Amino acid sequence: MRLTLRIWRQSGPDATGRYEEFEVRDARPEMSVLDLLDVLNADLVDAGVEPVAFDSDCREGICGACGVTVDGRPHGPAENTPSCHQRLTPYSDGDTLRIEPLRAAVFPVIRDLVVDRSALDGVVESAAHVGIPAGSAPDADSILQGHDAAETALDFAACIGCGACVAACPNGSANLFVGAKLGHLALMPVAGADRAARAREMVSAADEEFGPCSLYGECSRVCPAGIPLRAIGVVNRERLRSVFKRS
């Protein structure tokens, strides 16, 4: 099928961006958004035109590297699906797709569809580490963990840090991301030793860079890992707990 693509082009962080229009004549419904960009770039290279820059890595929905905005929605029209798995089945011959970078004040454009998401790294670097005593590693079953707590921790650990939640939020909040990290580590027996300090430092780091929660819930609907909205409640719970607890 033939698709028209309106794509954001920006040569560098300080350059003025603009939309450019292209046509792809051999798109297929089973192709992903990233496959579509690959086909376009092959045509552009053949024509001697600079290809469109975009991020991608595993293309299996687990690395968090990919992330573009399609028709105003982070990742694309299908809920809880990364860009690399967004298929073209919703589109028909002759349709137009608008593809642009993830839009958030803390994600400056580096080039075309590539943005700098290091603000998320800053939150992780602030305190999302686990301190363990030096020496021999303890036996795997020396600290028991309940099944329900382990399952909940794994649910939160699924966050891939793609940043779609921030781009979907009208306030640019990272509370879904922060809540997932705090919720995951708070439920792990070894990592729980630094729970209060971690909450104070990670929430403080997030407050410096990101906006407050907007209560719209768009973040959870675009999250490719399906992080539940209750992760946002974890942020406030861990923040309050850290006021009264030293660890």
Side-chain angles (χ1 to χ4, degrees):
M1 60 183 173
R2 178 180 58 82
L3 296 175
T4 299
L5 309 184
R6 296 191 71 233
I7 296 183
W8 184 261
R9 304 301 305 267
Q10 186 170 334
S11 60
D14 299 323
T16 300
R18 69 201 181 283
Y19 287 101
E20 289 186 2
E21 200 163 287
F22 305 95
E23 187 175 274
V24 175
R25 293 180 174 275
D26 50 354
R28 300 186 305 277
E30 67 271 19
M31 290 170 59
S32 71
V33 170
L34 300 192
D35 293 337
L36 185 65
L37 291 172
D38 285 339
V39 171
L40 171 65
N41 278 345
D43 292 341
L44 293 179
V45 170
D46 289 343
V49 178
E50 186 73 21
V52 177
F54 63 96
D55 270 329
S56 71
D57 191 1
C58 73
R59 302 206 179 198
E60 296 181 350
I62 57 175
C63 75
C66 69
V68 296
T69 302
V70 182
D71 293 335
R73 188 177 180 85
H75 284 309
E79 290 190 357
N80 303 121
T81 306
S83 299
C84 59
H85 284 183
Q86 291 276 350
R87 304 300 168 187
L88 303 181
T89 47
Y91 300 98
S92 304
D93 184 58
D95 281 353
T96 298
L97 283 75
R98 189 178 80 251
I99 303 177
E100 55 192 322
L102 292 179
R103 297 296 192 185
V106 294
F107 295 161
V109 174
I110 297 174
R111 186 180 181 87
D112 295 340
L113 307 178
V114 180
V115 298
D116 179 0
R117 288 174 281 187
S118 59
L120 294 176
D121 298 334
V123 175
V124 173
E125 290 168 358
S126 68
H129 48 264
V130 178
I132 58 173
S136 300
D139 292 339
D141 59 353
S142 61
I143 303 176
L144 299 180
Q145 169 71 305
H147 177 269
D148 291 345
E151 288 293 327
T152 302
L154 285 173
D155 288 343
F156 287 137
C159 173
I160 59 176
C162 65
C165 54
V166 178
C169 177
N171 289 344
S173 170
N175 273 16
L176 194 75
F177 170 80
V178 177
K181 301 302 178 189
L182 289 176
H184 165 215
L185 294 173
L187 291 170
M188 303 305 293
V190 175
D194 302 317
R195 183 172 173 177
R198 178 183 303 115
R200 285 191 293 270
E201 293 177 25
M202 287 188 68
V203 172
S204 176
D207 285 347
E208 289 180 6
E209 296 285 350
F210 300 91
C213 176
S214 67
L215 303 179
Y216 277 85
E218 276 295 317
C219 52
S220 186
R221 283 189 281 273
V222 301
C223 174
I227 299 299
L229 205 54
R230 69 175 185 276
I232 291 176
V234 173
V235 177
N236 292 330
R237 186 192 71 198
E238 291 298 310
R239 185 205 304 259
L240 180 61
R241 181 186 179 280
S242 71
V243 173
F244 301 101
K245 301 282 187 179
R246 299 186 62 185
S247 62

